[in-house]
mmCIF file of all heavy atoms in Angstrom:
data_model
loop_
_atom_site.group_PDB
_atom_site.id
_atom_site.type_symbol
_atom_site.label_atom_id
_atom_site.label_comp_id
_atom_site.label_asym_id
_atom_site.label_seq_id
_atom_site.Cartn_x
_atom_site.Cartn_y
_atom_site.Cartn_z
ATOM 1 N N ALA A 227 27.369 -58.567 -82.112
ATOM 2 C CA ALA A 227 26.024 -58.853 -82.613
ATOM 3 C C ALA A 227 25.971 -60.199 -83.325
ATOM 4 O O ALA A 227 24.986 -60.931 -83.208
ATOM 5 C CB ALA A 227 25.567 -57.738 -83.544
ATOM 6 N N GLY A 232 23.900 -65.540 -83.390
ATOM 7 C CA GLY A 232 24.132 -66.979 -83.528
ATOM 8 C C GLY A 232 23.565 -67.761 -82.365
ATOM 9 O O GLY A 232 22.956 -68.806 -82.547
ATOM 10 N N ALA A 237 19.966 -70.612 -82.132
ATOM 11 C CA ALA A 237 20.087 -71.553 -81.018
ATOM 12 C C ALA A 237 21.330 -72.426 -81.181
ATOM 13 O O ALA A 237 21.305 -73.629 -80.984
ATOM 14 C CB ALA A 237 18.838 -72.415 -80.896
ATOM 15 N N GLN A 260 21.480 -99.083 -79.838
ATOM 16 C CA GLN A 260 20.997 -99.208 -81.219
ATOM 17 C C GLN A 260 21.934 -98.412 -82.119
ATOM 18 O O GLN A 260 21.632 -97.281 -82.476
ATOM 19 C CB GLN A 260 19.575 -98.656 -81.340
ATOM 20 C CG GLN A 260 18.509 -99.490 -80.679
ATOM 21 C CD GLN A 260 18.036 -100.618 -81.584
ATOM 22 O OE1 GLN A 260 18.254 -100.581 -82.787
ATOM 23 N NE2 GLN A 260 17.427 -101.642 -81.006
ATOM 24 N N GLY A 262 23.974 -97.346 -85.521
ATOM 25 C CA GLY A 262 23.680 -97.360 -86.945
ATOM 26 C C GLY A 262 22.726 -96.226 -87.295
ATOM 27 O O GLY A 262 22.571 -95.280 -86.535
ATOM 28 N N THR A 263 22.094 -96.349 -88.471
ATOM 29 C CA THR A 263 21.250 -95.271 -88.986
ATOM 30 C C THR A 263 19.780 -95.613 -88.811
ATOM 31 O O THR A 263 19.369 -96.724 -89.110
ATOM 32 C CB THR A 263 21.532 -95.054 -90.489
ATOM 33 O OG1 THR A 263 22.944 -94.924 -90.672
ATOM 34 C CG2 THR A 263 20.845 -93.811 -91.007
ATOM 35 N N GLU A 285 30.476 -99.135 -91.124
ATOM 36 C CA GLU A 285 30.017 -98.507 -92.364
ATOM 37 C C GLU A 285 28.708 -97.798 -92.059
ATOM 38 O O GLU A 285 27.876 -98.325 -91.325
ATOM 39 C CB GLU A 285 29.804 -99.566 -93.449
ATOM 40 C CG GLU A 285 29.518 -98.976 -94.810
ATOM 41 C CD GLU A 285 29.254 -100.063 -95.854
ATOM 42 O OE1 GLU A 285 30.199 -100.688 -96.339
ATOM 43 O OE2 GLU A 285 28.062 -100.280 -96.160
ATOM 44 N N ILE A 286 28.550 -96.595 -92.602
ATOM 45 C CA ILE A 286 27.361 -95.790 -92.298
ATOM 46 C C ILE A 286 26.661 -95.449 -93.610
ATOM 47 O O ILE A 286 27.303 -95.009 -94.562
ATOM 48 C CB ILE A 286 27.757 -94.500 -91.540
ATOM 49 C CG1 ILE A 286 28.410 -94.857 -90.185
ATOM 50 C CG2 ILE A 286 26.550 -93.604 -91.312
ATOM 51 C CD1 ILE A 286 29.007 -93.661 -89.457
ATOM 52 N N VAL A 288 23.446 -93.171 -95.193
ATOM 53 C CA VAL A 288 22.461 -92.122 -94.912
ATOM 54 C C VAL A 288 21.820 -91.676 -96.226
ATOM 55 O O VAL A 288 22.402 -91.834 -97.293
ATOM 56 C CB VAL A 288 23.109 -90.900 -94.206
ATOM 57 C CG1 VAL A 288 23.668 -91.277 -92.854
ATOM 58 C CG2 VAL A 288 24.180 -90.268 -95.072
ATOM 59 N N ALA A 290 20.502 -88.907 -99.038
ATOM 60 C CA ALA A 290 20.922 -87.582 -99.509
ATOM 61 C C ALA A 290 19.759 -86.600 -99.402
ATOM 62 O O ALA A 290 18.598 -87.004 -99.409
ATOM 63 C CB ALA A 290 21.394 -87.674 -100.955
ATOM 64 N N VAL A 303 39.255 -92.789 -75.300
ATOM 65 C CA VAL A 303 39.965 -91.498 -75.264
ATOM 66 C C VAL A 303 39.309 -90.501 -76.230
ATOM 67 O O VAL A 303 38.301 -90.818 -76.859
ATOM 68 C CB VAL A 303 41.458 -91.685 -75.633
ATOM 69 C CG1 VAL A 303 42.133 -92.610 -74.645
ATOM 70 C CG2 VAL A 303 41.596 -92.208 -77.055
ATOM 71 N N ILE A 304 39.919 -89.334 -76.361
ATOM 72 C CA ILE A 304 39.392 -88.331 -77.292
ATOM 73 C C ILE A 304 39.657 -88.778 -78.724
ATOM 74 O O ILE A 304 40.778 -89.175 -79.068
ATOM 75 C CB ILE A 304 40.053 -86.960 -77.050
ATOM 76 C CG1 ILE A 304 39.637 -86.401 -75.693
ATOM 77 C CG2 ILE A 304 39.687 -85.972 -78.157
ATOM 78 C CD1 ILE A 304 40.279 -85.062 -75.367
ATOM 79 N N PRO A 320 35.387 -88.434 -74.356
ATOM 80 C CA PRO A 320 34.769 -89.405 -73.453
ATOM 81 C C PRO A 320 34.013 -88.697 -72.331
ATOM 82 O O PRO A 320 34.490 -87.705 -71.791
ATOM 83 C CB PRO A 320 35.958 -90.222 -72.924
ATOM 84 C CG PRO A 320 37.176 -89.454 -73.276
ATOM 85 C CD PRO A 320 36.843 -88.595 -74.448
ATOM 86 N N ARG A 331 24.106 -83.103 -99.941
ATOM 87 C CA ARG A 331 23.399 -82.841 -101.197
ATOM 88 C C ARG A 331 23.791 -83.875 -102.253
ATOM 89 O O ARG A 331 22.974 -84.266 -103.077
ATOM 90 C CB ARG A 331 23.742 -81.443 -101.714
ATOM 91 C CG ARG A 331 23.465 -80.349 -100.708
ATOM 92 C CD ARG A 331 22.112 -79.684 -100.947
ATOM 93 N NE ARG A 331 21.777 -78.828 -99.820
ATOM 94 C CZ ARG A 331 20.610 -78.851 -99.178
ATOM 95 N NH1 ARG A 331 19.654 -79.665 -99.562
ATOM 96 N NH2 ARG A 331 20.379 -78.051 -98.169
ATOM 97 N N PRO A 333 24.904 -87.518 -103.451
ATOM 98 C CA PRO A 333 25.067 -88.932 -103.119
ATOM 99 C C PRO A 333 26.478 -89.385 -103.480
ATOM 100 O O PRO A 333 27.121 -88.800 -104.351
ATOM 101 C CB PRO A 333 24.035 -89.641 -104.014
ATOM 102 C CG PRO A 333 23.115 -88.572 -104.495
ATOM 103 C CD PRO A 333 23.905 -87.301 -104.520
ATOM 104 N N LYS A 354 33.631 -95.737 -93.642
ATOM 105 C CA LYS A 354 33.074 -95.343 -94.930
ATOM 106 C C LYS A 354 31.651 -94.830 -94.724
ATOM 107 O O LYS A 354 30.861 -95.442 -94.008
ATOM 108 C CB LYS A 354 33.059 -96.542 -95.872
ATOM 109 C CG LYS A 354 32.953 -96.150 -97.336
ATOM 110 C CD LYS A 354 32.470 -97.274 -98.205
ATOM 111 C CE LYS A 354 33.476 -98.391 -98.407
ATOM 112 N NZ LYS A 354 32.930 -99.440 -99.320
ATOM 113 N N PRO A 362 11.974 -91.995 -103.220
ATOM 114 C CA PRO A 362 10.807 -91.094 -103.284
ATOM 115 C C PRO A 362 9.699 -91.537 -102.310
ATOM 116 O O PRO A 362 9.669 -92.660 -101.928
ATOM 117 C CB PRO A 362 10.339 -91.187 -104.727
ATOM 118 C CG PRO A 362 10.930 -92.428 -105.276
ATOM 119 C CD PRO A 362 12.152 -92.756 -104.463
#
Side-chain angles (χ1 to χ4, degrees):
Q260 289 276 342
T263 309
E285 188 182 282
I286 298 172
V288 297
V303 299
I304 293 179
R331 305 263 169 230
K354 200 200 289 182

